[in-house]
């Protein structure tokens, strides 16, 4: 079931993005336990209404290694890359001005509270999507893939949220998803990665969008990681130093 169908209307993904981009935003309240200002909002566009997660740029907590004001841009870049891969694991995410300034706005996933990576990691139904997510995190250089960032909605679909700590130019992969470390990439995932490499070279719209969201060094490092993963043909193995996020869930 698509994100659009969750709100009760059969919509193309482009319509969901249009709703998030141009709909009227009303703040419902703060989402607790978040490191940065994270707001639950209602987005309305005519008769269509959905919940979304709004993270204003001004509410970011300064970090020593990620430039202030860029976390929302990285959320959007993560969605853009995942969609270009055809994997549809990250909820529709856009960048726009809201009640508290520029920020990312992401479709809200109504998720089961009892499901996250550690509870589904051995379930055969999720192996393919978890492999895709592991490959995505490797090329996006995700520094914070916690178990609780893997959501399962009430239709049983896997979603990956909280993708702000991504695309750093320096190696920072920290994830709980090491299930497939060292294993060969499935043929389908390898083909999708190769198609993404071709799209980055041939599609100026995709390349331009990434360069507007990330700096030049980050885009270059992303392209190198993509090429290296394709050449290796295997899921990466944990390196030296810190390889797990904290907390794990």
């Amino acid at each position: 079931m698509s994100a659009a169908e969750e709100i009760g209307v059969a919509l193309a993904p482009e319509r969901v993005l249009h709703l998030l981009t141009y709909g009227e935003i009303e703040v419902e309240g703060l989402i607790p336990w978040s490191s940065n200002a994270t707001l639950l909002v209602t987005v309305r566009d005519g008769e269509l209404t959905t919940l979304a997660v709004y993270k204003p740029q001004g509410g970011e907590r300064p970090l020593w290694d990620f430039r202030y004001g860029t976390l929302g841009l990285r959320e959007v870049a993560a969605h853009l890359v995942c969609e270009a891969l055809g994997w549809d694991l990250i909820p529709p995410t856009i960048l726009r001005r809201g009640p508290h300034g520029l920020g990312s706005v992401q479709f809200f996933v109504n998720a089961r509270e009892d499901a996250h990576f550690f509870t589904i990691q051995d379930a055969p139904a999720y192996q393919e999507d978890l492999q895709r997510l592991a490959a995505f995190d490797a090329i996006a250089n995700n520094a914070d893939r916690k178990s609780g960032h893997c959501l399962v909605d009430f239709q049983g679909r896997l979603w990956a949220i909280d993708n702000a700590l991504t695309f750093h130019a320096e190696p920072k992969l920290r994830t709980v998803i090491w299930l497939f470390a060292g294993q060969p990439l499935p043929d389908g995932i390898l083909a999708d990665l190769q198609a993404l490499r071709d799209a980055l070279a041939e599609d100026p719209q995709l390349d331009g969008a990434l360069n507007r969201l990330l700096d030049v060094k980050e885009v270059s490092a992303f392209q190198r990681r993509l090429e290296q993963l394709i050449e290796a043909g295997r899921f990466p193995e944990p390196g030296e130093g810190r390889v797990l996020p904290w907390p794990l869930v």
Side-chain angles (χ1 to χ4, degrees), residues 87-162:
W87 291 351
D88 202 20
L89 291 168
I90 296 176
T93 312
I94 57 94
L95 188 72
R96 64 169 290 183
R97 293 197 174 277
H100 298 285
L102 187 69
S104 62
V105 180
Q106 184 175 88
F107 182 86
F108 176 80
V109 176
N110 185 21
R112 292 169 43 194
E113 293 184 2
D114 62 341
H116 51 84
F117 171 73
F118 289 138
T119 69
I120 67 169
Q121 61 180 323
D122 296 323
Y126 293 104
Q127 293 304 292
E128 187 173 355
D129 275 342
L130 289 175
Q131 287 176 325
R132 291 188 180 116
L133 186 54
F136 169 81
D137 284 342
I139 62 173
N141 197 20
N142 195 334
D144 193 39
R145 177 63 71 203
K146 296 181 174 71
S147 180
H149 295 169
C150 302
L151 305 183
V152 176
D153 67 23
F154 285 90
Q155 287 72 44
R157 179 172 173 176
L158 180 69
W159 297 94
I161 64 165
D162 285 346

Side-chain angles (χ1 to χ4, degrees), residues 54-236:
Y54 167 46
K55 298 181 179 180
Q57 195 175 54
E60 291 183 12
R61 177 171 57 87
L63 300 171
W64 70 270
D65 51 350
F66 284 84
R67 289 178 294 117
Y68 177 77
T70 67
L71 301 189
L73 279 65
R74 298 170 195 278
E75 293 260 20
V76 177
H79 174 257
L80 181 67
V81 168
C82 199
E83 289 299 290
L85 284 162
W87 291 351
D88 202 20
L89 291 168
I90 296 176
T93 312
I94 57 94
L95 188 72
R96 64 169 290 183
R97 293 197 174 277
H100 298 285
L102 187 69
S104 62
V105 180
Q106 184 175 88
F107 182 86
F108 176 80
V109 176
N110 185 21
R112 292 169 43 194
E113 293 184 2
D114 62 341
H116 51 84
F117 171 73
F118 289 138
T119 69
I120 67 169
Q121 61 180 323
D122 296 323
Y126 293 104
Q127 293 304 292
E128 187 173 355
D129 275 342
L130 289 175
Q131 287 176 325
R132 291 188 180 116
L133 186 54
F136 169 81
D137 284 342
I139 62 173
N141 197 20
N142 195 334
D144 193 39
R145 177 63 71 203
K146 296 181 174 71
S147 180
H149 295 169
C150 302
L151 305 183
V152 176
D153 67 23
F154 285 90
Q155 287 72 44
R157 179 172 173 176
L158 180 69
W159 297 94
I161 64 165
D162 285 346
N163 301 287
L165 299 187
T166 49
F167 297 106
H168 201 285
E170 300 174 5
K172 286 183 178 290
L173 181 59
R174 293 191 288 269
T175 175
V176 295
I177 310 177
W178 292 110
L179 280 176
F180 315 108
Q183 295 181 16
L185 293 170
D187 291 343
I189 289 179
L190 184 58
D192 290 340
L193 293 170
Q194 291 168 334
L196 174 61
R197 178 184 58 187
D198 294 343
L200 289 168
E202 300 168 2
D203 184 351
Q205 186 174 359
L206 175 60
D207 181 68
L210 280 179
N211 277 282
R212 286 190 294 272
L213 295 166
L214 308 170
D215 70 28
V216 174
K217 290 182 179 179
E218 290 167 343
V219 173
S220 295
F222 163 64
Q223 293 174 327
R224 284 196 304 273
R225 290 190 300 270
L226 174 61
E227 186 63 39
Q228 288 166 356
L229 187 59
I230 292 171
E231 289 182 358
R234 293 179 177 276
F235 289 98

